[in-house]
């Protein structure tokens, strides 16, 4: 027996010879679990991992939750990036598992070895990364987040993916299903980005899971390089934390990684919080990589805070007094100031043309802290434009916007401008005549006089880097904030995408258009996408489309969407030019979306837009009313003649019940690849022959890839008939079919499935159909039949459906019967 035990140990040494010495030591140390085996020449010595700590790699709580140690802080302090440290994993928290360990019996040799190695990664890390792939695979799930992040390179070299481990981490720690999880390509980034946000906002305790509990791991610091999108909300607590001095390294990481900065549900904040926001925005936008700023759901916006975010997003600010860590100017700005001052001094020395007064001004403007003098700026209604004093140094004025905003706020004059400013809505149609330097002069909601009607002079402001995308969702904009935004837009040349959604603009839309018109005059303007949506429209949709497109022929995407028509729309001052009279130059427009507030669609007004947009590839018309039966025919004729590259055409909530001929013409189009008839009442008054004509037309069209028919009351029998699109004699290339919201019952879906299977069998399994959408149908009425139909369908194509309570739409069902 003794000889046999010795030979076993010798064989173990031989088998593990290619591996690093530390691995052999661990394997030999835990080869025997329990009493020593007689005759074995190698005495098993267990690694010292803390009293009561089992070497159980499969336990869901392994390694066990640690207790605090002197070299770390409490686990609950993980909300700070400086961190103070995380509790040590040496000892504690495992005694309760000893009984379970004994009951389960001895673990596998590899599991015990891997667990021991994972506990000693601090000393063994370099050797661990050299392990063969099959050993590294078993070790990776036992590492803390800190070690797992460091193992990424070694795993890649070994041909291993850590994605399943990060996905399990998400499930165990976040305990939620992320939206669009099927589209997540990197779970490592997804986990660390969400982890950063949750720790920052205090909703995740790092002591809650052993994998987060590593005394080397500083939560914010180590996860910040993976954060490309961040949302700040409520009282901006996250901004205060990130702007704190102990998080300077975190902020530096974010400046390189963050691309999208969002603000949601903001509340009014005090001056100290705003100063933190100043530092944050200055570092992330002006000296960082943030390219998109979005603001959501701010029912009663704080005007000062809103203007602060908008102006800094546009790149307007100054280095110096407001941008300070403990009274020290921003380091990056200070370096730029110093370099600029040296360059200026050298140039003047070489030219030999010193001017003592100008040199003094330069010195003072480069160091505004030295000459900080707050001036209480007064309103300038009816007065000549007030130009702030401009020096000839690299910065224009010692008074920065921060001081200006808070000085004006203390004036208690309802925000930014005098209450006696021009009446809202006055001269609404004069916006095209404004000059580039004065975008808001003489139009709705703007000063008749006073030039640039913003809250500050752009010419007196130093320009920093600005963002390329601005999005404002559900944030009411007053006349004052619209004037400010217009002023900012007038020179925001880096802006590529602008989204204004449900901001209650009303007549102030003219003010925004004025700023955009001024922006269009800049040769280096980059605006390519504009989306405007609101409840009430102040002008007809097509007129607004023509206004924007005539100013920006370089746009690629334009979306105009309104819910209701303004009943006061017709009450406009006489003698003012209309945008509909402006000539539209040839444009680069590729995507046009118009949602009408139940207004008539006159092709004659749309025709100039279509003629100017020969590159148009997508057109969407929503909630339009056709004044006569010939109107749709004229539109289709115009599309064929003017837009030969049109690939996607969508009609939503447009009554096409009396336009069957035009519908068939569209389905015959040899260029269109995607057609949508959504809630268009296609079969409201149709005959059986119309459905047969649709099917035969689609069967002959080899270019159509997607057909979307949601909300057209197909019912069971029409759905079953649609299966013939894929019959043996069909030349259709249809890949996607959307039959959502069509009162389809489980038995009808099953019959459609069987018929589809028959056609596929006849074609020898050759079919291009890949996607079927079934949202909001009657599949809950017979769960067993529905499950059978879905199971068989999923063997043919990808099926997207939902759990929907059909009892909410009983009336619609009765109408189909």
């Amino acid at each position: 027996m003794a000889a046999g035990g010795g030979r076993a140990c010798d064989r173990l040494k031989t088998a593990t010879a290619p591996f690093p010495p530390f691995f052999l030591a661990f394997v030999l140390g835990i080869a025997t679990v329990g009493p020593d085996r007689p005759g074995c020449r190698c005495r098993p010595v267990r690694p010292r991992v803390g009293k009561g700590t089992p070497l159980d790699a499969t336990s869901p709580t392994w390694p066990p939750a640690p207790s605090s140690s002197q070299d770390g802080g409490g686990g609950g302090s993980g909300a700070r990036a400086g961190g103070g440290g995380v509790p040590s994993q040496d000892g504690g928290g495992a005694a309760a598992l000893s009984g379970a360990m004994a009951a389960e019996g001895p673990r596998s040799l590899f599991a015990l070895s891997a667990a021991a190695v994972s506990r000693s990664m601090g000393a063994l890390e370099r050797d661990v990364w050299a392990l063969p792939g099959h050993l590294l695979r078993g070790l990776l799930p036992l590492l803390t987040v800190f070690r797992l992040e460091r193992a990424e390179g070694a795993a890649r070299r070994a041909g291993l993916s850590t994605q399943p481990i990060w996905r399990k981490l998400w499930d165990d720690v976040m305990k939620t299903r992320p939206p669009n999880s099927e589209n997540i390509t990197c779970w490592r980034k997804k986990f660390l980005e969400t982890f950063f946000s949750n720790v920052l906002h205090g909703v995740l305790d790092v002591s809650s899971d052993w994998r987060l509990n590593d005394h080397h791991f500083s939560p914010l610091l180590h996860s910040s390089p993976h954060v490309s999108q961040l949302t700040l909300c409520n009282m901006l607590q996250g901004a205060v934390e990130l702007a704190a001095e102990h998080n300077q390294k975190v902020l530096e990481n974010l400046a390189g990684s963050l691309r999208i900065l969002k603000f949601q549900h903001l509340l009014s904040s005090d001056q100290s919080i705003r100063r933190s926001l100043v530092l944050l925005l200055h570092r992330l936008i002006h000296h960082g990589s943030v390219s998109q700023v979005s603001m959501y759901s701010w029912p009663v916006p704080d005007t000062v805070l809103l203007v602060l975010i908008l102006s800094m997003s546009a790149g307007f600010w100054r280095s110096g007094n407001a941008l300070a860590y403990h009274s020290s100017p921003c380091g990056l700005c200070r370096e730029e100031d110093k370099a600029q001052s040296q360059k200026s001094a050298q140039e003047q020395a070489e030219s030999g043309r010193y001017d003592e007064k100008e040199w003094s001004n330069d010195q003072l403007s480069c160091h505004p802290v030295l000459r900080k003098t707050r001036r209480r700026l007064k309103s300038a209604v009816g007065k000549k434009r007030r130009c702030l004093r401009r020096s000839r140094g690299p910065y224009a004025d010692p008074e920065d916007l921060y001081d200006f905003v808070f000085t004006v706020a203390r004036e208690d004059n309802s925000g930014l401008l005098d209450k006696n400013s021009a009446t809202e809505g006055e001269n609404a149609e004069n916006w095209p005549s404004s000059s580039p330097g004065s975008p808001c002069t003489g139009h709705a909601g703007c000063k008749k006089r006073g030039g640039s009607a913003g809250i500050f002079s752009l010419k007196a402001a130093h320009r920093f880097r600005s963002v390329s995308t601005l999005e404002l969702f559900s944030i009411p904009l007053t006349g004052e904030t619209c004037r400010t935004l217009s002023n900012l837009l007038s020179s925001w040349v880096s802006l590529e995408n602008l989204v204004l959604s449900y901001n209650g603009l009303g007549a102030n839309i003219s003010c925004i258009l004025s700023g955009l018109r001024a922006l269009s005059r800049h040769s280096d303007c980059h605006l390519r996408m504009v989306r405007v949506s609101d409840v009430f429209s102040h002008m007809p949709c097509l007129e607004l489309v023509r206004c924007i497109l005539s100013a920006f022929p370089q746009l690629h995407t334009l979306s105009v969407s309104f819910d209701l028509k303004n009943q006061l729309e017709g009450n406009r001052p006489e003698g003012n030019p209309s945008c509909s009279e402006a000539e539209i130059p040839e444009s680069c427009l590729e995507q046009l979306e118009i949602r009408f507030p139940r207004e008539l669609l006159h092709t004659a007004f749309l025709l100039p837009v279509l003629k100017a947009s020969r590159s148009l590839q997508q057109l969407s018309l929503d909630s339009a009313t056709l004044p006569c039966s010939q109107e749709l025919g004229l539109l289709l004729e115009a599309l064929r003649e003017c837009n030969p590259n049109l690939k996607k055409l969508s009609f939503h909530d447009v009554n096409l019940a009396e336009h069957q001929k035009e519908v068939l013409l569209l389905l015959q189009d040899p260029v269109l690849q995607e057609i949508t008839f959504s809630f268009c009442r296609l079969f409201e008054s149709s005959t059986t022959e119309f459905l047969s004509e649709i099917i035969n037309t689609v069967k002959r069209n080899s270019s159509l890839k997607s057909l979307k028919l949601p909300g057209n009351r197909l019912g069971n029998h029409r759905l079953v008939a649609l299966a013939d699109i894929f019959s043996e004699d069909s030349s259709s290339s249809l890949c996607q079919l959307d039959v959502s919201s069509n009162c389809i019952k489980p038995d009808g879906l099953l019959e459609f499935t069987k018929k589809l299977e028959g056609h596929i069998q006849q074609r020898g399994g050759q079919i291009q159909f890949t996607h079927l959408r079934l949202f909001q149908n009657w599949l809950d009425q017979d769960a067993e039949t529905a499950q059978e139909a879905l199971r068989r369908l999923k063997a043919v194509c990808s099926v997207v459906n939902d759990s929907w309570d059909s009892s909410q739409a009983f009336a619609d069902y009765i109408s189909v019967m």
Side-chain angles (χ1 to χ4, degrees):
M1 188 69 180
R7 286 194 297 271
C9 286
D10 290 338
R11 287 195 300 270
L12 186 60
K13 290 180 180 179
T14 303
T16 56
F19 296 35
F22 79 89
F23 188 78
L24 175 60
F26 274 115
V27 169
L28 292 179
I30 59 177
T32 306
V33 179
D36 295 349
R37 294 182 179 176
C40 182
R41 292 174 296 181
C42 299
R43 186 184 176 204
V45 179
R46 303 187 185 186
R48 298 177 59 86
V49 292
K51 182 178 180 181
T53 305
L55 298 177
D56 182 5
T58 60
S59 172
T61 56
W62 174 265
S67 60
S68 299
S69 67
Q70 294 181 354
D71 62 345
S77 65
R80 298 177 69 90
V86 179
S88 169
Q89 295 184 15
D90 295 335
L97 300 177
S98 298
M101 171 69 176
E104 293 177 2
R107 315 308 299 165
S108 69
L109 176 63
F110 178 80
L112 294 172
S113 303
V117 171
S118 71
R119 298 292 294 174
S120 304
M121 284 295 295
L124 305 174
E125 183 178 46
R126 182 176 300 179
D127 291 327
V128 168
W129 303 154
L131 286 174
H134 67 282
L135 296 178
L136 195 58
R137 182 186 292 109
L139 181 60
L140 290 176
L142 305 178
L143 301 180
T144 63
V145 169
F146 176 74
R147 300 296 175 185
L148 182 60
E149 172 68 9
R150 293 165 66 90
E152 194 67 29
R156 191 180 299 112
R157 289 191 298 271
L160 302 176
S161 173
T162 61
Q163 293 302 305
I165 305 174
W166 289 108
R167 174 60 196 266
K168 189 176 187 308
L169 265 170
W170 176 280
D171 294 338
D172 295 344
V173 176
M174 305 303 175
K175 297 180 173 63
T176 60
R177 180 180 179 182
N180 302 319
S181 58
E182 63 278 3
N183 298 325
I184 296 177
T185 57
C186 183
W187 282 97
R188 172 194 180 203
K189 173 179 167 50
K190 179 66 176 177
F191 176 85
L192 290 171
E193 186 172 58
T194 307
F195 173 80
F196 178 92
S197 180
N198 288 351
V199 171
L200 178 66
H201 293 100
V203 298
L204 178 63
D205 184 358
V206 294
S207 65
S208 62
D209 192 288
W210 65 265
R211 288 163 292 190
L212 312 177
N213 221 339
D214 190 314
H215 70 276
H216 297 94
F217 183 55
S218 179
L220 295 185
L221 182 61
H222 288 101
S223 58
S224 55
H226 301 274
V227 179
S228 60
Q229 178 174 307
L230 178 64
T231 300
L232 300 176
C233 53
N234 301 330
M235 293 295 293
L236 294 169
Q237 302 94 323
V240 174
E241 177 66 22
L242 291 175
E245 189 171 8
H246 63 266
N247 279 333
Q248 290 187 48
K249 181 59 178 178
V250 176
L251 201 54
E252 181 180 334
N253 289 343
L254 289 177
S257 66
L258 198 65
R259 298 293 182 271
I260 301 175
L261 183 59
K262 296 183 178 182
F263 297 92
Q264 191 169 16
H265 306 305
L266 294 187
L267 302 174
S268 295
S269 55
D270 59 29
Q271 187 167 337
S272 64
I273 293 177
R274 290 168 182 159
R275 286 188 180 276
S276 296
L277 182 62
V278 168
L279 293 170
L280 183 71
L281 294 178
H282 182 65
R283 188 65 182 91
L284 296 181
I285 297 177
H286 299 167
H287 296 297
S289 303
V290 169
S291 60
Q292 174 178 328
V293 169
S294 303
M295 287 183 271
Y296 297 82
S297 303
W298 202 355
V300 186
D302 181 326
T303 304
V304 175
L305 188 57
L306 176 59
V307 169
L308 182 63
I309 297 173
L310 288 175
S311 59
M312 296 199 71
S313 298
F316 288 104
W317 209 256
R318 290 173 181 79
S319 62
N321 46 0
L323 305 171
Y325 279 119
H326 300 296
S327 302
S328 299
C330 167
L332 296 175
C333 289
R334 188 169 63 247
E335 292 176 4
E336 293 176 1
D337 290 354
K338 183 178 179 180
Q340 185 66 29
S341 298
Q342 292 176 347
K343 180 179 179 181
S344 177
Q346 182 178 359
E347 290 176 352
Q348 292 186 18
E350 292 175 354
S351 64
R353 290 175 296 186
Y354 278 94
D355 185 290
E356 185 175 351
K357 184 176 180 180
E358 289 184 1
W359 171 247
S360 175
N361 287 340
D362 281 349
Q363 287 287 83
L364 291 176
S365 68
C366 287
H367 299 280
V369 175
L370 302 177
R371 52 176 292 189
K372 180 177 179 180
T373 57
R374 294 178 178 269
R375 293 173 296 174
R376 301 177 64 84
L377 302 183
K378 301 178 180 179
S379 57
V381 176
K383 295 182 180 180
K384 206 170 184 179
R385 179 176 179 179
R386 179 175 187 175
C387 295
L388 300 180
R389 182 177 50 184
R390 301 175 61 193
S391 71
R392 300 185 183 181
Y395 302 120
D397 194 88
E399 190 70 23
D400 65 23
L401 180 58
Y402 184 87
D403 294 328
F404 176 79
V405 167
F406 291 108
T407 299
V408 175
R410 290 191 294 270
E411 296 284 352
D412 192 24
N413 63 351
S414 299
L416 307 172
L417 297 174
D418 192 275
K419 293 181 179 179
N420 298 322
S421 58
T423 303
E424 298 294 329
E426 184 175 349
N427 296 330
E429 296 303 322
N430 287 338
W431 71 269
S433 63
S434 48
S435 63
S438 180
C440 291
T441 302
H443 67 78
C446 300
K447 294 185 177 183
K448 287 183 175 181
R449 306 182 59 160
S452 186
I455 66 159
F456 60 97
S457 171
L458 300 187
K459 291 184 178 181
H462 178 62
R463 294 298 299 269
F464 283 96
R465 178 186 176 276
S466 54
V467 302
S468 60
T469 298
L470 177 67
E471 298 180 341
L472 303 179
F473 296 93
S474 300
I475 300 178
L477 299 180
T478 64
E480 296 169 351
T481 51
C482 282
R483 288 190 286 274
T484 301
L485 178 57
S486 175
N487 204 19
L488 292 170
L489 289 174
S490 66
S491 60
W492 200 331
V493 293
S494 71
L495 192 66
E496 299 177 9
N497 307 298
L498 175 64
V499 179
L500 300 176
S501 181
Y502 292 94
N503 306 118
L505 294 177
N508 290 314
I509 185 66
S510 300
C511 187
I512 302 299
L513 290 174
S514 178
L516 291 175
R517 173 58 65 90
L519 175 62
S520 70
R521 298 191 179 101
H522 289 267
S523 60
D524 53 348
C525 172
H526 289 85
L527 193 64
R528 296 296 180 267
M529 187 271 283
V530 173
R531 296 185 182 274
V532 179
S533 59
D534 220 320
V535 176
F536 293 103
S537 64
H538 180 67
M539 61 177 65
C541 285
L542 287 177
E543 184 175 340
L544 181 57
V545 167
R546 296 185 62 164
C547 283
I548 297 175
L549 201 57
S550 61
F552 291 96
Q554 73 272 25
L555 281 183
H556 290 169
T557 300
L558 175 59
S559 176
V560 172
S561 173
F562 294 99
D563 297 333
L564 301 171
K565 187 176 182 179
N566 192 339
Q567 297 301 320
L568 302 177
E569 181 182 302
N571 301 331
R572 300 186 181 189
E574 296 182 1
N576 290 318
S578 172
C579 288
S580 60
E581 300 174 2
E583 182 179 354
I584 305 177
E586 184 175 351
S587 74
C588 302
L589 196 66
E590 297 178 356
Q591 182 176 349
L592 176 61
E593 301 172 358
I594 306 175
R595 183 159 67 92
F596 298 85
R598 297 295 177 189
E599 50 180 63
L600 296 177
L601 171 58
H602 293 286
T603 304
F605 295 154
L606 182 58
L607 189 57
V609 175
L610 298 178
K611 286 183 177 179
S613 309
R614 299 191 62 83
S615 300
L616 194 66
Q617 298 180 18
Q618 301 181 41
L619 175 63
S620 176
L621 301 176
D622 188 342
S623 303
T625 302
L626 298 171
C628 61
S629 58
Q630 292 81 19
E631 204 68 29
L632 183 58
L634 293 175
L635 174 62
L636 301 186
E637 183 179 353
L639 290 174
R640 285 194 297 270
E641 293 179 359
C642 305
N643 309 104
N645 300 313
L646 191 66
K647 299 294 189 299
K648 298 181 180 181
L649 180 61
S650 174
F651 292 93
H652 175 78
D653 198 13
V654 179
N655 189 352
L656 299 178
E658 305 299 329
H659 299 276
Q660 298 177 13
K661 177 183 175 182
E662 286 76 16
V663 169
L664 293 174
L665 287 174
L666 282 172
L667 294 173
Q668 293 173 8
D669 193 290
V671 178
L672 287 175
Q673 297 180 2
E674 180 178 305
I675 299 177
T676 300
F677 298 117
S678 175
F679 294 88
C680 290
R681 311 180 197 176
L682 283 182
F683 305 105
E684 187 174 89
S685 58
S686 67
T687 62
T688 305
E689 289 74 16
F690 178 54
L691 179 62
S692 298
E693 289 175 333
I694 286 180
I695 293 171
N696 291 328
T697 301
V698 175
K699 286 170 65 174
R700 293 191 298 268
N701 190 340
S702 60
S703 62
L704 188 63
K705 307 294 182 185
S706 175
L707 179 60
K708 300 180 179 180
L709 304 171
N712 284 289
R713 301 183 179 181
L714 283 173
N716 280 357
H717 67 284
R718 292 192 181 99
L719 174 68
V720 174
L722 287 179
D724 289 335
I725 292 175
F726 307 99
S727 62
E728 190 176 8
D729 61 341
S730 174
S731 58
S732 171
S733 300
L734 197 67
C735 300
Q736 301 182 17
L737 179 63
D738 188 347
V739 291
S740 301
S741 304
N742 271 296
C743 307
I744 297 168
K745 297 173 66 178
D747 57 339
L749 183 62
L750 182 59
E751 188 176 350
F752 168 82
T753 303
K754 292 178 179 179
K755 195 172 185 180
L756 182 62
E757 290 174 338
H759 290 321
I760 295 175
Q761 186 176 5
Q762 291 175 358
R763 299 176 63 168
Q766 299 298 320
I767 188 173
Q768 299 187 32
F769 185 48
T770 57
H771 290 81
L772 178 66
R773 296 175 67 87
L774 289 167
F775 288 115
Q776 295 186 348
N777 278 299
W778 305 87
L779 304 185
D780 61 331
Q781 294 191 354
D782 185 348
E784 185 176 350
T785 302
Q787 289 302 317
E788 181 184 356
L790 291 173
R791 178 182 57 80
R792 296 171 69 166
L793 271 174
K794 289 178 180 179
V796 176
C797 61
S798 174
V799 181
V800 183
N801 67 307
D802 58 353
S803 299
W804 185 62
D805 183 4
S806 61
S807 63
Q808 301 299 318
F810 183 72
D812 196 20
Y813 172 71
I814 293 297
S815 68
V816 178
M817 295 297 289

